[in-house]
Amino acid sequence: MYDPKSLKAEEFINHEEILETLEYAEKNKNNRELIEKILDKAKPRKTSRGVECSGLSHREASVLLACEIPDLTEKMYTLAKEIKQAFYGNRIVMFAPLYLSNYCVNQCVYCPYHYQNKTIPRKKLTQEEVAAEVIALQDMGHKRLAIEAGEDPVNNPIDYIVDCIKTIYSVKHKNGAIRRVNVNIAATTVENYRKLKEAEIGTYILFQETYHKESYEKLHPAGPKHNYAYHTEAMDRAMEGGIDDVGLGVLFGLELYKYEFAGLLMHAEHLEAVHGVGPHTISVPRIKRADDIDPEVFDNGIDDDTFAKIIACIRISVPYTGMIVSTRESESCRNKVISLGVSQISGASRTSVGGYAGYSDDERPHDTEQFDVSDQRSLDEVVRWLMELGYIPSFCTACYREGRTGDRFMSLCKTGQIQNCCHPNALMTLKEFLEDYASSETKAIGEKLIADELKNIPNEKARRLASEYIENIHLGKRDFRF
Ligand code: SAM
């Protein structure tokens, strides 16, 4: 029985409900009247509190994803852009992954870290090596990391992960600092989630990989990750352990994308129904080539147009949830999808263990790599590229440091205060980047952008303060925030 409030995986991600949803979407994919009604429901509306969006149910959203009427698909893209503009403006938050260890006891058939892969060298960073990686990342200008590790209770126990987080936060090199550590590690216990919370992590990220139970079990034939219910119920345990911000995702290519899309939105509805707050972010990774992994053997790969449509539909359906696109995607693909609703991208990523320290911008170690990175530009190049496209690269980490997590973040979004808060924070952290790390060309573009964008802070006091803080950053002070 389908029940979004249930704590049992197979009831809140209910197979029959997904099949019925897909049937309903297929039946209505050319139903102009219904699709127009759904698009109208999803529009941003002015209320006494600010601008609000209702979002869509997984059924409504699935109809949009299935829609085959070209002018309505165009309308969908326009609406996605409008919603992104309303809640995220032209800001794009920057982050980088940091791989701690590729030891893993699981057998995920799409991942080169799987236990049976004997060709990949295994490596786990020591605390000294973590510090060296962090210095290299700080020297590029990063302030926000997502740490990644395989699942191995002996080599990568929770205490090792917590020690790494402590090391990461402790490194203060020149003007650098990592101010937010997001964590992408395997599903674990409430007690371990509590330890992560105490270590002051930002978002706990766990990709479902696939919501299709039967496929899930085949794709994870052994190891602790084989347990579908334990994996699917992880976010509930994380929230029970006190973590407010959780990040969902599926690995596109494993199963039929329409199935995954419905499952993803059902998961978001479940979190909202049980915990009163939806996912903080949704990631949309696609399978990539890697040591021992050929993405062609998976039949469900999606092309760039379908990928873009999925992103637009997610943006319309869960308007307050951030969306992340990684360097798995090429520059041209990222260019296409950013405007449709993406709020965070990674830059200058290395997916190998120890891939940053001691390597120049165009030197890449491949031996311990998790997957091929498509976008191989430096952070300076990505920042410049974003600005040339009219975006503000943001290194902001203020919300969680100010306690604006979970539903408090969502209410900031809903009341439109984001423009008086996130916008100046983005400009101030960009200014830090320009002062400390940018090339002269990037700096020139950035200074002009900041001067122009300061005018777009609606509240006069916030505008004045932001200008003052930016002047202070130029004079050498750091870490201002609203
Ligand atoms: N080990 C943890 C787990 O199992 O959830 C999390 C870290 S894992 C390093 C991060 C993610 O990389 C996985 O959840 C998976 O979706 C993704 N991934 C694995 N193999 C991939 C591949 N060949 N191409 C793209 N992404 C991949």
Side-chain angles (χ1 to χ4, degrees):
M1 252 290 281
Y2 174 50
D3 178 7
K5 281 208 158 103
S6 166
L7 292 175
K8 287 203 181 105
E10 285 180 66
E11 291 178 357
F12 65 81
I13 306 293
N14 182 257
H15 181 61
E16 283 70 38
E17 171 62 22
I18 297 184
L19 294 186
E20 279 171 32
T21 298
L22 298 188
E23 206 183 303
Y24 174 77
E26 186 60 26
K27 221 168 66 199
N28 286 294
K29 66 184 180 190
N30 288 310
N31 183 340
R32 177 173 285 275
E33 199 187 333
L34 176 68
I35 296 169
E36 280 177 346
K37 218 166 107 192
I38 295 172
L39 286 172
D40 187 59
K41 178 185 169 189
K43 274 187 188 150
R45 292 202 156 70
K46 283 214 164 73
T47 66
S48 55
R49 295 183 344 129
V51 179
E52 292 193 27
C53 267
S54 67
L56 295 177
S57 69
H58 60 276
R59 282 216 175 187
E60 294 163 332
S62 294
V63 174
L64 291 192
L65 187 64
C67 166
E68 283 185 344
I69 308 173
D71 65 300
L72 293 185
T73 307
E74 269 318 303
K75 269 193 176 169
M76 205 185 299
Y77 288 144
T78 308
L79 177 59
K81 287 179 187 171
E82 197 189 326
I83 293 174
K84 176 181 154 68
Q85 192 54 36
F87 300 115
Y88 292 92
N90 53 351
R91 296 174 298 281
I92 298 287
V93 168
M94 305 300 306
F95 78 98
L98 171 55
Y99 281 73
L100 301 177
S101 166
N102 66 356
Y103 282 94
C104 193
V105 297
N106 285 313
Q107 288 191 20
C108 316
V109 302
Y110 47 82
C111 179
Y113 292 172
H114 70 88
Y115 181 69
Q116 283 171 326
N117 185 358
K118 301 294 176 213
T119 61
I120 198 164
R122 300 289 166 173
K123 190 169 172 186
K124 166 186 168 181
L125 298 181
T126 63
Q127 295 310 312
E128 290 70 34
E129 287 168 330
V130 171
E133 291 287 272
V134 171
I135 288 172
L137 284 155
Q138 289 184 4
D139 277 345
M140 285 183 225
H142 278 295
K143 298 283 186 279
R144 173 189 292 241
L145 300 183
I147 57 172
E148 312 274 339
E151 177 167 17
D152 185 329
V154 175
N155 287 299
N156 323 325
I158 195 73
D159 294 341
Y160 167 71
I161 304 288
V162 167
D163 285 347
C164 291
I165 297 169
K166 285 184 187 149
T167 301
I168 294 168
Y169 280 134
S170 74
V171 176
K172 299 275 151 36
H173 174 67
K174 298 186 183 163
N175 280 337
I178 298 302
R179 300 172 181 157
R180 177 173 179 135
V181 178
N182 297 334
V183 175
N184 183 5
I185 59 164
T188 186
T189 60
V190 174
E191 194 189 319
N192 286 349
Y193 286 124
R194 211 164 271 132
K195 288 187 182 175
L196 292 177
K197 167 76 181 172
E198 279 159 17
E200 302 186 354
I201 69 160
T203 311
Y204 171 65
I205 299 165
L206 180 69
F207 299 157
Q208 178 64 28
E209 320 300 5
T210 174
Y211 283 98
H212 192 288
K213 183 171 185 252
E214 214 180 297
S215 300
Y216 181 96
E217 287 170 349
K218 283 193 196 128
L219 291 160
H220 307 96
K225 195 164 166 180
H226 176 71
N227 186 335
Y228 176 82
Y230 190 73
H231 188 82
T232 311
E233 293 159 10
M235 294 314 191
D236 298 297
R237 291 193 301 280
M239 286 186 149
E240 196 185 330
I243 295 174
D244 290 326
D245 291 341
V246 297
L248 306 180
V250 291
L251 186 55
F252 284 103
L254 299 179
E255 245 302 339
L256 295 172
Y257 72 90
K258 290 179 180 168
Y259 190 102
E260 304 294 26
F261 178 79
L264 190 59
L265 290 185
M266 283 164 81
H267 202 169
E269 285 164 17
H270 161 72
L271 295 176
E272 180 89 46
V274 175
H275 306 280
V277 53
H280 188 67
T281 54
I282 288 181
S283 300
V284 286
R286 289 194 280 186
I287 299 186
K288 297 284 301 176
R289 187 168 300 283
D291 180 280
D292 197 35
I293 305 296
D294 175 5
E296 306 297 327
V297 306
F298 299 94
D299 308 331
N300 296 307
I302 49 171
D303 60 24
D304 286 358
D305 287 340
T306 309
F307 187 59
K309 198 172 180 192
I310 292 171
I311 288 178
C313 288
I314 293 176
R315 177 42 61 245
I316 294 171
S317 311
V318 280
Y320 305 116
T321 295
M323 214 185 322
I324 303 179
V325 168
S326 76
T327 55
R328 287 179 183 85
E329 301 303 334
S330 65
E331 172 182 344
S332 66
C333 177
R334 301 219 282 179
N335 196 347
K336 182 175 169 144
V337 298
I338 283 180
S339 68
L340 297 175
V342 172
S343 58
Q344 269 191 52
I345 66 169
S346 45
S349 303
R350 300 286 163 95
T351 66
S352 41
V353 183
Y356 295 105
Y359 297 101
S360 67
D361 273 359
D362 33 63
E363 243 184 320
R364 277 177 182 267
H366 292 292
D367 55 346
T368 60
E369 210 169 40
Q370 196 196 13
F371 52 80
D372 286 357
V373 166
S374 295
D375 187 339
Q376 303 200 352
R377 292 171 295 171
S378 70
L379 187 59
D380 185 75
E381 287 169 322
V382 175
V383 165
R384 187 163 65 237
W385 167 74
L386 283 173
M387 295 192 299
E388 282 167 349
L389 292 173
Y391 296 105
I392 308 171
S394 171
F395 293 87
C396 179
T397 53
C399 272
Y400 112 104
R401 295 164 81 213
E402 289 289 322
R404 291 189 296 259
T405 54
D407 56 350
R408 285 172 298 260
F409 170 75
M410 297 292 172
S411 74
L412 180 82
C413 252
K414 291 178 192 173
T415 51
Q417 276 313 307
I418 244 175
Q419 199 61 11
N420 286 318
C421 191
C422 302
H423 194 73
N425 283 339
L427 298 179
M428 293 186 305
T429 53
L430 175 61
K431 175 69 175 171
E432 290 185 336
F433 178 84
L434 299 180
E435 290 288 333
D436 292 335
Y437 309 105
S439 63
S440 53
E441 197 188 340
T442 303
K443 192 165 181 202
I445 298 171
E447 295 293 1
K448 181 171 180 319
L449 181 88
I450 291 175
D452 291 344
E453 289 288 348
L454 271 170
K455 296 176 198 144
N456 294 332
I457 301 173
N459 180 288
E460 203 224 302
K461 190 174 166 212
R463 196 164 58 238
R464 186 170 37 78
L465 269 178
S467 304
E468 262 174 53
Y469 292 158
I470 282 173
E471 185 48 33
N472 276 314
I473 293 168
H474 176 63
L475 298 174
K477 298 223 172 77
R478 293 291 175 269
D479 203 12
F480 293 98
R481 61 176 184 261
F482 284 91

